[in-house]
Structures are given as C-alpha cells and as structure tokens.
Amino acid sequence: MTVLQPRYLHERSQLELTLKLIAVEARTHTIKRCTGLSDDRIRKIYSRYFKSTTAATVRRRRGKSPRQVAYFVKNPDHQMQATTLYYLFVSSGLLSSDAAGTIIQNWQTPDIEYGHRALAAYDTYRRLYAAPLYNFEWAWALLQILGDALVLTDCNDCQLRYVHDRLGIDFHRCPGCELRLNVQRRPGVNRFV
C-alpha cells in the first residue's frame, strides 16, 4: 500500500490543502468548505502538525469569517489591495468578467482545486505587498462577495477597472488615481475636491 495509489490521492490532496490553510490561519469553516473534512478531523490535524511545534506562530481563529463590505473600500489603500486580489483571482481562474464588467464566479461550490487556486492567488498577493492589509480570511471573504456586494467600476482618468461597493457612492476614480492626485472622496471626509 503506497500513498501514491489513486485511491489515496484524494485524501492526500485534502491533507495537503488542510495543512496549507491552517498555516495561513484559515478558519475551520473555510477549510471544511474546501476539503470536505469534518470539524473534528481538521482540529486533529491542527493538533497533530501545528499545536506542539509552532503554537506561537500559527493561531486558530475562532468565530465567523469576516463579511464587512466597507472594509474593502474604506480607503484607497484597502481598495487598491482588494482590486489587486480581484485580478489575482481572475488570473487563477476563480473569477472572470464579461465585457460589461460583470464579475462571474467560475465555481459554484468550493472544492480542493478551488482552495489550491485561492491559496496560490493569496500567496502571490502577499509577495506583491510589503505590508498586506488582508489576511487569508479577508481575502476569502472578498472572493465570496465579489460580483454581489462588490462590483467593478471603470476609472474615468485611467480606464482601469477597480473593485467598488455596489451600494456606495462612486466618483469613477480608481484608488491609484486618488493616491496619485491626492484627492479624497471617502465617506466621513468633509471636503470633496
């Protein structure tokens, strides 16, 4: 009996993805959705591989995954990094968009392949930014709400499509142009230039 036999490949893939998701501090519910493993099995894997050796570096986050839409668009830096994540999700095949800019989720339900692609996109994101604003759970939340609460909008200045709150006021200026021009058009800002 070897681990490389076809009947064990699925279980091995589940274990590999679980270990990677635990390493980026994904919540049990997120791991469960991607791997199909039970809550108890995920906790046992954490105890076996992480608890005794790297307890100080890998924490188990509790509670519900984050869902606040406003966090992704609260300032130009957050919005730019959310837009970067959107483009990374597109390049990994998790999302696509049509000519009108409508975001399309390419997977109906997450599976192992979906989890691996989401992790690859998130790893690239962490390499792009010296100080990433989003942990994996926030990136996962963004992936789930893109196309629903968050949509694409075209910038009038540079024609770049960027992530924007569907219900928020939009001045059609991307976060890059806002930073470049030093113009602030955010809720709570008293002046609009």
Side-chain angles (χ1 to χ4, degrees):
M1 176 171 78
T2 65
V3 178
L4 298 176
Q5 289 179 348
R7 62 183 173 182
Y8 298 113
L9 289 178
H10 180 72
E11 288 181 25
R12 181 177 178 196
S13 186
Q14 281 179 316
L15 178 63
E16 286 175 356
L17 181 58
T18 301
L19 292 172
K20 289 178 182 178
L21 288 171
I22 290 172
V24 295
E25 298 180 356
R27 286 180 166 80
T28 302
H29 177 73
T30 304
I31 299 169
K32 184 178 176 178
R33 286 191 64 197
C34 289
T35 62
L37 295 175
S38 68
D39 293 357
D40 187 51
R41 178 82 170 120
I42 294 166
R43 287 185 193 99
K44 285 179 181 176
I45 291 171
Y46 171 74
S47 295
R48 170 82 168 102
Y49 292 98
F50 290 92
K51 197 169 187 177
S52 60
T53 58
T54 59
T57 58
V58 178
R59 298 180 323 177
R60 293 295 292 142
R61 298 188 183 272
R62 300 188 184 277
K64 291 184 176 185
S65 296
R67 286 281 183 218
Q68 297 85 0
V69 174
Y71 187 68
F72 297 110
V73 295
K74 76 178 195 174
N75 63 40
D77 292 324
H78 279 76
Q79 195 170 15
M80 177 150 338
Q81 289 194 24
T83 301
T84 301
L85 275 167
Y86 160 75
Y87 283 109
L88 290 171
F89 292 144
V90 168
S91 69
S92 66
L94 297 171
L95 301 172
S96 58
S97 64
D98 60 14
T102 304
I103 300 172
I104 302 162
Q105 295 274 348
N106 292 340
W107 258 265
Q108 295 302 317
T109 56
D111 59 8
I112 293 173
E113 179 68 22
Y114 185 92
H116 281 294
R117 289 178 184 225
L119 265 173
Y122 180 70
D123 286 340
T124 304
Y125 160 73
R126 285 194 319 184
R127 289 186 181 124
L128 288 174
Y129 288 97
L133 297 172
Y134 302 117
N135 62 23
F136 181 77
E137 279 296 320
W138 278 106
W140 179 265
L142 176 68
L143 179 57
Q144 303 309 307
I145 62 176
L146 278 166
D148 183 28
L150 291 172
V151 295
L152 292 179
T153 304
D154 293 326
C155 177
N156 288 341
D157 295 337
C158 67
Q159 277 61 52
L160 174 74
R161 285 191 171 159
Y162 61 97
V163 172
H164 193 275
D165 183 357
R166 179 186 298 272
L167 301 176
I169 297 172
D170 185 21
F171 295 97
H172 295 282
R173 183 171 283 148
C174 74
C177 290
E178 278 189 41
L179 291 170
R180 181 175 50 85
L181 299 172
N182 197 22
V183 175
Q184 294 187 2
R185 296 184 177 216
R186 301 283 166 180
V189 175
N190 292 329
R191 63 182 182 86
F192 288 83
V193 179

